[in-house]
Amino acid sequence: VLVESLLVFAVVLSVHAVVWDRFSWCAVALAVQAFYVQFKWDRLLQLGGAVFQFRGAANSGLLPASMVIPLLGVVMKERCRAAGIVYFERFGVVVASTGMLLALFLSVLAVGITKPVPTNTCILTGVAGSVIIYTMKHSLTVSEVIEVLEVLLIFVYLSMILLYLLPRCFTPGEALLVLGGVSFVLNQLIKRSLNVIEGRGDPIDFFLLVAVVGVVLLGLFFTVLFIFMDSGTWISSMFFHMMTAVLGLGVIMPWLYRLIRRNPLFWLLQFLFQTQTRLYLLVYWTFLAASACAVVFYQNAKRSSESKKHQASTITRKYFHFIVVATYVPGLIYDRQLLYVAAVLCLAVFIFLEYVRYFRIKPFGQTLRHLLSLFLDERDSGPLILTHIYLLLGMSLPVWLFPRSCAPKGTLPGAGALVPYSGVLAVGVGDTIASVFGSTMGEIKWPGTKKTFEGTMTAIFAQIIAVALILIFDSSVNLNSSYAWILASVSLVSLLEAYTTQIDNLLLPLYLQIMLMA
């Protein structure tokens, strides 16, 4: 925990040294208080005193999770200020303020339920909170303050519902990241739906907002419904499919139509088949998807009846990382907009299939349970299997969060040109190589972990080679001699992978994106 915290502080101070404004000072104050409160959360988890059931075999992860959204907002603000885009500069300020307020809320919650009340931590949290609120008071307009409070309100209610319905699926830090992100997306969708004329933008942005909110609302609806009926019967399954179609065609499609002012299905078909390059990419991705399904069926066929408890090895699970890298790299090089939309569609399909598996919806629910049980690891301790969804999110978030409006020629200068590749580098290359080499050839273990020195070093080396290959094949990338910063960023994130107990597929790409954008 101490080394993980030290690495997070290194990232925070690196961003602070580059930005050096009131918000970066607030980020430093937030990091200091989150470091102390993290130990209170860890103690609550050990004693079973937390309000909800969180994922075991991991620490609370409050510090690394608390800093992601504020730092993303800070570096986005700086990039858009440098490009002269005032609207997105203010958007970055709102993102940073929202992230800080959500992290403070989680800290106050931990301090409030700790007995006896930790006086020193209370004082530290109060001082950090005062600094942040004072800064927000002098930096945000009234409408922006209301927007931040709206996200906090949505986060509180969403956390109460989902953490109760999904025990042992998240650590407190993962809950902050995932539910905070969903709360922000939901608030943005409501805001843009109420101000359609003001909220003109790229249809693919609206597509992401509606898809995320749609699948979350779908899950909440069926979770409440199946409290009163058995989800495993044919009648319930038929009702599930029928209501999915009704909600999709009767709610989500009209909602999307209101935002983009055209038929969503016609727009999507026209978008997907607009150019010959897109057609080639879709055929190639279909082949890779079929290959991934073949790996699942082959591994299950190998599982003999005598070894029902057999689990897939680390190297077997990393097959999917190689397939995902092979999926994303051509999309990033040839057509990022298509990759953006395809990733949104994949996320919706993955979550829908998880609903089918979780609720045992016929005819595929039980089959999915059997097929995916082979690939479970210690992080899938709750009722949901989320690791494959986290892998997709880790690869896609740098693409979705890339500030296109603040990139004059579709790419950021210097190390920022690698921002869309953050997922590929951190998870697709770094995490995969570290796991494969560490589990097969690693001998020297990092103190206090199961990760090896050899795995981390080969991960750093592999990411450097990957950056060199990106420079060769992607002509839009121009690093402008920022090689030392890239090496430092890759090294920090690789060391974080060795020491964190959080979901690395989600955390590592975001930290690499923050460093590259800074």
Side-chain angles (χ1 to χ4, degrees):
V1 175
L2 290 173
V3 177
E4 178 191 53
S5 302
L6 186 64
L7 293 168
V8 173
F9 272 113
V11 174
V12 173
L13 293 175
S14 299
V15 173
H16 176 54
V18 173
V19 176
W20 201 270
D21 66 359
R22 62 177 72 176
F23 280 98
S24 66
W25 278 107
C26 286
V28 173
L30 181 68
V32 172
Q33 73 85 30
F35 173 72
Y36 282 93
V37 174
Q38 179 171 253
F39 292 102
K40 306 306 175 189
W41 262 116
D42 290 344
R43 188 164 180 271
L44 286 169
L45 295 177
Q46 290 168 4
L47 299 176
V51 180
F52 300 102
Q53 294 183 57
F54 291 100
R55 182 167 69 84
N59 66 341
S60 64
L62 184 67
L63 175 58
S66 294
M67 301 316 302
V68 169
I69 300 177
L71 291 179
L72 273 174
V74 168
V75 293
M76 185 184 297
K77 172 183 71 69
E78 279 303 295
R79 285 292 186 177
C80 294
R81 185 185 63 78
I85 312 295
V86 178
Y87 175 82
F88 284 100
E89 181 187 349
R90 298 307 304 172
F91 183 74
V93 170
V94 170
V95 171
S97 303
T98 303
M100 291 178 189
L101 205 59
L102 294 181
L104 274 177
F105 170 77
L106 211 59
S107 297
V108 170
L109 184 65
V111 170
I113 60 179
T114 300
K115 302 298 179 188
V117 176
T119 308
N120 294 338
T121 308
C122 281
I123 294 172
L124 197 62
T125 302
V127 171
S130 301
V131 169
I132 291 168
I133 291 171
Y134 179 82
T135 302
M136 289 169 60
K137 178 180 179 293
H138 290 276
S139 304
L140 301 180
T141 63
V142 174
S143 61
E144 289 170 344
V145 170
I146 293 172
E147 186 175 349
V148 171
L149 293 176
E150 286 170 352
V151 177
L152 178 61
L153 188 64
I154 294 170
F155 174 77
V156 171
Y157 281 105
L158 206 58
S159 300
M160 291 171 62
I161 296 169
L162 291 181
L163 291 179
Y164 173 75
L165 294 173
L166 303 173
R168 304 180 309 282
C169 284
F170 308 100
T171 63
E174 291 160 7
L176 174 62
L177 263 185
V178 175
L179 301 182
V182 172
S183 303
F184 195 86
V185 167
L186 178 56
N187 185 65
Q188 284 296 308
L189 183 58
I190 294 170
K191 177 186 172 185
R192 297 190 187 196
S193 299
L194 295 175
N195 303 288
V196 175
I197 296 176
E198 294 178 18
R200 285 178 184 166
D202 198 327
I204 66 174
D205 293 327
F206 294 126
F207 189 64
L208 172 63
L209 296 177
V210 172
V212 171
V213 173
V215 292
V216 170
L217 294 179
L218 193 69
L220 288 174
F221 173 78
F222 285 117
T223 301
V224 174
L225 179 68
F226 288 136
I227 292 174
F228 304 101
M229 49 192 300
D230 182 9
S231 61
T233 64
W234 274 106
I235 293 176
S236 298
S237 299
M238 289 174 64
F239 187 71
F240 173 88
H241 295 301
M242 183 179 68
M243 286 306 299
T244 300
V246 168
L247 290 171
L249 297 175
V251 177
I252 295 173
M253 288 299 173
W255 201 346
L256 195 52
Y257 177 82
R258 171 176 168 76
L259 291 168
I260 67 175
R261 297 298 186 181
R262 66 190 86 170
N263 186 302
L265 289 176
F266 290 157
W267 169 81
L268 183 60
L269 289 172
Q270 182 184 7
F271 178 86
L272 292 177
F273 301 107
Q274 196 168 17
T275 64
Q276 198 170 23
T277 302
R278 290 185 177 178
L279 192 60
Y280 290 149
L281 281 172
L282 289 172
V283 171
Y284 171 66
W285 288 341
T286 304
F287 168 74
L288 289 177
S291 302
C293 293
V295 170
V296 173
F297 286 118
Y298 174 71
Q299 290 297 327
N300 274 274
K302 281 177 62 179
R303 180 166 52 176
S304 64
S305 58
E306 293 84 17
S307 58
K308 290 184 178 178
K309 293 184 179 179
H310 170 71
Q311 294 299 114
S313 66
T314 300
I315 296 176
T316 301
R317 286 200 293 269
K318 297 306 175 183
Y319 287 161
F320 299 103
H321 286 237
F322 287 119
I323 291 173
V324 169
V325 170
T327 302
Y328 273 73
V329 170
L332 287 167
I333 293 174
Y334 295 110
D335 199 326
R336 290 183 185 178
Q337 282 200 322
L338 178 65
L339 180 64
Y340 187 113
V341 172
V344 173
L345 288 172
C346 281
L347 178 65
V349 170
F350 274 22
I351 296 176
F352 177 76
L353 289 176
E354 182 56 24
Y355 291 156
V356 171
R357 188 205 65 83
Y358 175 64
F359 293 122
R360 305 189 313 279
I361 301 299
K362 294 178 181 297
F364 302 113
Q366 203 60 44
T367 304
L368 283 172
R369 285 196 167 210
H370 174 72
L371 291 174
L372 295 180
S373 64
L374 179 66
F375 299 95
L376 295 178
D377 62 13
E378 68 277 1
R379 293 174 296 184
D380 291 311
S381 56
L384 295 184
I385 299 177
L386 296 172
T387 45
H388 61 296
I389 296 174
Y390 284 140
L391 175 60
L392 178 65
L393 282 173
M395 301 292 288
S396 304
L397 282 172
V399 180
W400 294 340
L401 298 177
F402 180 72
R404 298 190 307 278
S405 302
C406 303
K409 296 179 180 178
T411 184
L412 294 172
L418 292 173
V419 165
Y421 289 94
S422 299
V424 171
L425 292 171
V427 175
V429 177
D431 183 38
T432 305
I433 296 297
S435 296
V436 172
F437 278 82
S439 61
T440 55
M441 296 188 296
E443 294 182 0
I444 307 170
K445 293 189 183 298
W446 289 107
T449 75
K450 296 179 181 178
K451 306 295 178 68
T452 64
F453 174 80
E454 293 89 347
T456 303
M457 291 301 108
T458 50
I460 294 172
F461 185 62
Q463 288 175 82
I464 294 169
I465 293 175
V467 170
L469 292 174
I470 290 168
L471 279 170
I472 293 170
F473 290 103
D474 191 345
S475 57
S476 66
V477 175
N478 182 11
L479 300 182
N480 294 337
S481 303
S482 52
Y483 302 108
W485 184 267
I486 293 169
L487 178 60
S489 303
V490 164
S491 301
L492 273 175
V493 171
S494 297
L495 285 169
L496 186 61
E497 186 273 335
Y499 275 95
T500 188
T501 57
Q502 306 304 297
I503 299 291
D504 48 11
N505 288 350
L506 186 63
L507 202 65
L508 302 183
L510 292 173
Y511 268 103
L512 186 57
Q513 177 174 5
I514 288 165
M515 289 295 290
L516 294 176
M517 281 183 69

